[in-house]
Amino acid sequence: MKTKKQISGWKDKILFTPGPLTTSQTVKQAMLRDLGSRDSEFIGSVKDIRHKLVELGQADTDEYTTVLMQGSGTFGLEAVVSSTVPPDGKLLVIINGAYGKRLVKIASILKIDTVTLEYPENTTPDLREIENTLKTDKDITNVSVVHCETTTGIINPIREIGEFVVKSGAKYFVDAMSSFGAVPVNLAECNIDYLVSSANKCIEGMPGFSFVLCKLNSLKETVGYARSLSFDLLSQYQGLEKNGQFRFTPPTHVLAAFRQALAELEAEGGVPGRAERYRKNYETLIAGMRQMGFREYIRPEDQGYIITSFLYPDDPNFSFEKFYESLNQKDYVIYPGKVSDANCFRIGNIGRIFEADIKALLAAIRETIAEMGVKLK
Ligand SMILES: Cc1ncc(COP(=O)(O)O)c(C=O)c1O
């Protein structure tokens, strides 16, 4: 059997990042075909992908649908914000990290009336405050929150927030970019109207499109809400329903890879199977990092198994740039921190990586720390 090195002609680095992620050879190989956007095989594959994504959200296709959107994850978020808030609507954004802030930025460029509830990056949102805000501010028409705040790896309580949102009559939008496919979610039980994720996160496809899981009744109410042509979620849905085609050139190769990625997810035991592998990766990582003396930024009870933020060691010999570069030379790619009040770096557990890869990374970190002369305890 050919090794990874022989097939690609170069040695792939292992990506311990929140995306782009390490993907399987078979997912990459699925792209090696040209398919026309009006080809019946392509149209059938798009239909299948849309259907399977609804199933991954534990929902029924009578109640929910999938709208595929060209571009990275942010394009999907922008599609929801720009085309599901009514022209005179008001958006509440719950923030505890950079991706919550990005939603506010999108809304502000679109000149959408926005209120925020902002919490420290290492803290989950205050549910009582959210409940009270929704009870008192009757102008709020839409509420958004990030599921796994990839800034830190914290997991936000989307089910509890959804209960308050549905009682208030507002529409509920969850950015589940880095969690969908690996953290189980039941769309209907969480009262979600719109959920966004993208091809190259926990489903382990290629980057190039995002998808929006939409509650059909809510989507159909959005006639005339869209603030732009390409991000018009309802028109994109109507186009896909009419003839199975995208309105504009689809990422055909990326969709072919995604179909293969979905088959590999199913073979792994679906969302529970993938969750188990990522959780194992996480537990191995945490145990090894703690043993070396590293400390996490988030309390273990709030931390998900997607990505972890570690505090810089308290030693003047530590330099993140040198640490990163040395690991990179050893073919392991980690990620810089994103929190505003502490010096951290991040290590992701998602993508086509296994416990053996995590153990190899831990060995490389141990070696690098020794090379740098950093003392951790
Ligand atoms: C929670 C969350 N939201 C939004 C994004 C932005 O996605 P993209 O970089 O694909 O546009 C990311 C990317 O990691 C994310 O983790």
Side-chain angles (χ1 to χ4, degrees):
M1 204 176 116
K2 281 186 174 179
T3 64
K4 210 169 169 181
K5 195 169 182 174
Q6 284 166 319
I7 291 166
S8 58
W10 63 83
K11 190 164 183 282
D12 283 337
K13 296 185 185 215
I14 307 183
L15 309 178
F16 297 91
T17 65
L21 302 172
T22 293
T23 54
S24 71
Q25 286 297 327
T26 32
V27 165
K28 287 188 266 281
Q29 278 161 350
M31 288 198 297
L32 302 178
R33 320 185 38 198
D34 299 319
L35 272 180
S37 60
R38 285 154 205 265
D39 186 293
S40 60
E41 186 187 338
F42 175 71
I43 289 172
S45 156
V46 167
K47 191 172 170 196
D48 190 40
I49 288 171
R50 292 180 62 211
H51 188 96
K52 286 214 165 89
L53 286 171
V54 172
E55 281 179 358
L56 286 186
Q58 301 174 35
D60 198 318
T61 44
D62 291 341
E63 212 189 337
Y64 283 87
T65 190
T66 309
V67 182
L68 304 170
M69 190 60 70
Q70 296 95 327
S72 80
T74 307
F75 290 64
L77 301 176
E78 187 146 355
V80 174
V81 176
S82 66
S83 43
T84 69
V85 180
D88 55 354
K90 186 172 182 178
L91 173 67
L92 166 64
V93 185
I94 299 161
I95 306 170
N96 57 350
Y99 293 105
K101 286 185 188 149
R102 186 176 295 178
L103 287 168
V104 177
K105 190 161 186 194
I106 293 171
S108 122
I109 289 171
L110 291 162
K111 301 192 169 41
I112 288 171
D113 190 8
T114 305
V115 280
T116 59
L117 285 173
E118 187 164 353
Y119 303 96
E121 288 157 329
N122 59 357
T123 310
T124 53
D126 179 343
L127 294 174
R128 291 291 141 243
E129 194 178 10
I130 295 171
E131 184 180 24
N132 287 338
T133 304
L134 288 168
K135 271 187 187 156
T136 49
D137 190 343
K138 291 289 166 204
D139 293 338
I140 294 172
T141 51
N142 299 68
V143 178
S144 76
V145 70
V146 179
H147 187 199
C148 171
E149 232 319 339
T150 324
T151 309
T152 56
I154 201 166
I155 298 284
N156 286 323
I158 55 170
R159 180 183 287 262
E160 290 81 350
I161 296 171
E163 281 173 21
F164 303 134
V165 180
V166 74
K167 270 191 211 141
S168 78
K171 301 297 178 204
Y172 188 31
F173 165 32
V174 175
D175 170 355
M177 203 70 72
S178 61
S179 59
F180 190 76
V183 180
V185 58
N186 183 309
L187 293 164
E189 281 178 22
C190 292
N191 293 298
I192 294 172
D193 294 286
Y194 306 99
L195 177 145
V196 172
S197 184
S198 80
N200 185 242
K201 297 286 189 218
C202 297
I203 298 174
E204 300 182 1
M206 295 292 139
F209 72 90
S210 59
F211 51 88
V212 189
L213 294 172
C214 311
K215 190 179 213 169
L216 271 166
N217 285 344
S218 304
L219 180 65
K220 285 178 181 168
E221 280 171 19
T222 63
V223 180
Y225 291 7
R227 292 162 176 84
S228 97
L229 174 74
S230 11
F231 290 108
D232 184 340
L233 194 65
L234 182 61
S235 294
Q236 186 90 340
Y237 162 73
Q238 287 165 339
L240 286 165
E241 284 294 299
K242 195 170 102 202
N243 52 16
Q245 293 173 20
F246 282 66
R247 290 177 301 154
F248 314 120
T249 304
T252 44
H253 302 77
V254 177
L255 283 155
F258 193 71
R259 199 175 185 202
Q260 174 64 24
L262 283 171
E264 292 178 16
L265 173 64
E266 205 172 307
E268 195 173 359
V271 177
R274 186 138 301 174
E276 201 180 309
R277 172 161 60 89
Y278 288 176
R279 190 185 285 283
K280 187 85 201 148
N281 286 348
Y282 164 72
E283 284 166 358
T284 307
L285 177 74
I286 291 296
M289 292 296 276
R290 284 186 187 161
Q291 202 186 30
M292 278 186 260
F294 283 99
R295 294 284 163 260
E296 305 101 82
Y297 174 71
I298 297 288
R299 294 184 312 168
E301 56 269 39
D302 296 329
Q303 172 74 56
Y305 46 83
I306 300 295
I307 189 164
T308 308
S309 292
F310 293 96
L311 294 162
Y312 283 6
D314 189 12
D315 182 323
N317 284 340
F318 183 82
S319 137
F320 175 72
E321 288 67 31
K322 282 192 195 148
F323 182 59
Y324 174 92
E325 200 35 53
S326 173
L327 289 172
N328 192 35
Q329 294 291 326
K330 298 175 176 95
D331 293 330
Y332 301 107
V333 180
I334 63 162
Y335 221 55
K338 214 176 168 83
V339 293
S340 47
D341 64 351
N343 283 324
C344 293
F345 61 87
R346 288 177 289 171
I347 298 182
N349 309 300
I350 62 178
R352 207 74 195 151
I353 51 176
F354 297 84
E355 198 186 351
D357 299 309
I358 300 281
K359 286 186 173 159
L361 171 70
L362 288 167
I365 291 177
R366 203 169 288 117
E367 196 183 312
T368 304
I369 287 297
E371 281 162 13
M372 292 171 75
V374 171
K375 299 257 176 314
L376 277 150
K377 286 178 190 162

